[in-house]
Amino acid sequence: MAAESGRYTVKSCVRSRFSSEMFRGISTNVTAGISERFAPRRIYSLGWIMMDSELPGTLNVDNFEMRFADISSVEISRLQALSISVGWPHRAADWQHLLDIGKGYVALDEIGRVGASGMWFPHGDGFATFGMLITSPRLQANGAARWLMKRIMTDCGRNRIRLNSTREAQRLYASLGLKPKQTVYQYQGTAIAPLAPPPLEKGLFLRRLDRGDLDTMIAFDAPAFGADRSLHLLRLFESSICYGLYQGERLRAFSMRRRFGRGHVVGPVVAGNDEDAITVTHPHIAAHADGFLRVDTHFDSGPFAGLIQQCGLSIYATLTTMVTEEAASYGAGQNGRARVYALASHSLG
C-alpha cells in the first residue's frame, strides 16, 4: 500500500505443529466440530483434514494494517518496550530527552501496538540526523522499516542526512541513497581508574564548564560536527557534567558525561588532537571507576582509543556512519580544526 495513505498491510502467519495423536483426536468427528482442546482459536477456512506429513507447516491466520502516528502521541512506556524488544538500553528518561529535541513517527497496528519507530533531529537548515529506527522482531524483514524510513525522509525536509546504522539495516539505508563513511565503535564496560594524567603544558588549564561557556563551545563544535547543533548542545548541557580545556581565552577541547542506559555515557568529546581529547575525557572516567561507562567513537586505535581500552572498556558493537551526501559528513579535523572524538549518542551523532 502506498506510503501516502499512511497505512501498510502486513501478513502474519503462525507456525503449527500437531502430532498424529492430536489429529486422530480431532478427526473423529469433523462434522461435529473441532475439539476445543486442540483446535486453534481462530480458523478462517477448513477444506479438509490432512494427516501427519500432509499437514502444511504454516497457517495464515490474520492480515493487519499498520498506520502512522506522531511519536509524541505515544506513551514513553510503550516506546521503551519497543526498544527493549531489540535489546537497546534506553531508560524512560533517555526517550524523553530525544522526544524533547526530535520529531518522528511510530507504526501502530489495528489494536494500537507499537511495531516500529523512527526519529529525526534537525540541526540548522538542510541537515538532520536520524535515529531510534527500530522495528519489532515480529515485523522485521517485511517492508515496515522501509515504509517508515521513506516517510521520515520525506517529512524531515532536509537533503543532508546522517545516521549510524546497525549491520542488519545497512542494505536498507543503501537502497535509499545513503553511503557508508566511517565505523562507530561502541565501547562499554566497568571502568578501571585511569593512570594519573601528565602535567598540562604551560598556559593550559582544565575546568568545569558553565553556561557562560556555551557560545564558545557551540562555535568550536560546529566545524567538527559538520553543522550547528546549538539547540542539542544546550539540551545536553542541562543534563551533563562538562569539562573544557582552555589556552587563555581559546577553547581547545570539551567533553560531556550524562546518565544513559545501564550507567553513564561520555560524549560528545570534541578536540583538536588526541592529547587534548584525552585530557578532557580523563576526569569522566576517573569519576566512574568501578561503574558502567560507555563511549561511542570512530577510533579503534591510537592514543584516544588506547585510553578507553586501558580503562577496561571493550568493543561491544560496531555501527556504520552513513550519509546522503558528502556535505553531511563529520568534519575531518584538517588545518588545525577540531574533530569529534566521541559521539553524544547513535541518534544524535
Side-chain angles (χ1 to χ4, degrees):
M1 188 168 291
E4 289 76 13
S5 69
R7 293 182 179 274
Y8 184 78
T9 300
V10 180
K11 180 167 286 188
S12 171
C13 63
V14 175
R15 290 192 176 276
S16 305
R17 288 190 177 90
F18 298 99
S19 67
S20 299
E21 289 75 14
M22 291 168 64
F23 265 91
R24 278 193 290 273
I26 66 173
S27 61
T28 55
N29 191 357
V30 173
T31 58
I34 297 178
S35 167
E36 287 292 327
R37 180 181 177 188
F38 299 114
R41 290 188 177 182
R42 302 181 69 181
I43 298 178
Y44 288 80
S45 63
L46 181 64
W48 63 89
I49 295 294
M50 291 179 292
M51 299 296 292
D52 297 334
S53 62
E54 295 179 284
L55 181 70
T58 61
L59 180 68
N60 288 334
V61 297
D62 206 1
N63 287 325
F64 61 92
E65 284 189 335
M66 304 298 294
R67 60 181 175 85
F68 293 121
D70 191 301
I71 197 166
S72 64
S73 68
V74 178
E75 296 90 343
I76 288 179
S77 60
R78 295 165 65 197
L79 298 174
Q80 189 181 16
L82 176 66
S83 55
I84 289 172
S85 74
V86 294
W88 290 13
H90 295 69
R91 303 168 302 142
D94 301 325
W95 267 106
Q96 186 61 64
H97 180 113
L98 296 169
L99 292 169
D100 288 344
I101 58 179
K103 302 177 181 180
Y105 291 102
V106 292
L108 302 178
D109 67 15
E110 291 170 317
I111 61 173
R113 292 177 296 186
V114 180
S117 69
M119 296 188 71
W120 73 92
F121 305 91
H123 303 279
D125 295 332
F127 180 74
T129 55
F130 279 18
M132 304 312 291
L133 301 161
I134 306 172
T135 306
S136 68
R138 69 190 179 95
L139 293 182
Q140 290 172 2
N142 67 5
R146 175 182 295 274
W147 173 69
L148 188 60
M149 185 70 176
K150 285 184 175 180
R151 176 63 181 263
I152 65 175
M153 289 183 77
T154 299
D155 281 15
C156 83
R158 287 162 171 81
N159 295 323
R160 292 183 293 134
I161 296 169
R162 184 164 72 214
L163 58 79
N164 294 303
S165 172
T166 61
R167 183 179 67 251
E168 295 80 6
Q170 280 188 53
R171 181 177 296 180
L172 167 63
Y173 300 143
S175 72
L176 295 171
L178 285 94
K179 304 173 182 62
K181 292 295 295 182
Q182 298 166 279
T183 300
V184 177
Y185 301 94
Q186 180 180 325
Y187 286 91
Q188 64 183 47
T190 301
I192 298 171
L195 298 174
L200 293 176
E201 297 176 12
K202 185 178 180 179
L204 297 182
F205 60 97
L206 176 70
R207 65 172 175 82
R208 287 277 298 270
L209 298 180
D210 57 37
R211 296 191 68 86
D213 297 292
L214 279 170
D215 288 344
T216 300
M217 184 176 65
I218 289 167
F220 180 76
D221 174 78
F225 184 72
D228 180 343
R229 55 172 169 173
S230 54
L231 294 178
H232 300 266
L233 289 177
L234 287 168
R235 181 64 178 81
L236 286 167
F237 186 86
E238 293 173 357
S239 57
S240 300
I241 301 295
C242 308
Y243 285 93
L245 178 66
Y246 275 91
Q247 184 175 32
E249 297 295 318
R250 183 170 73 91
L251 182 66
R252 290 184 38 157
F254 75 86
S255 62
M256 296 185 177
R257 177 186 84 245
R258 70 187 189 281
R259 283 287 311 277
F260 178 83
R262 294 172 58 189
H264 287 77
V265 61
V266 178
V269 176
V270 180
N273 57 60
D274 286 5
E275 291 72 23
D276 290 354
I278 290 171
T279 298
V280 295
T281 301
H282 187 281
H284 295 304
I285 300 177
H288 284 283
D290 299 323
F292 187 87
L293 204 61
R294 171 173 164 175
V295 181
D296 297 317
T297 178
H298 289 123
F299 297 89
D300 67 335
S301 61
F304 182 74
L307 170 70
I308 298 169
Q309 295 160 3
Q310 291 163 16
C311 292
L313 308 189
S314 58
I315 296 174
Y316 173 78
T318 59
L319 294 89
T320 301
T321 299
M322 304 183 73
V323 298
T324 52
E325 56 185 77
E326 192 63 31
S329 300
Y330 287 97
Q334 297 174 339
N335 301 320
R337 289 188 170 185
R339 65 188 305 179
V340 174
Y341 276 81
L343 282 59
S345 70
H346 291 167
S347 294
L348 300 177

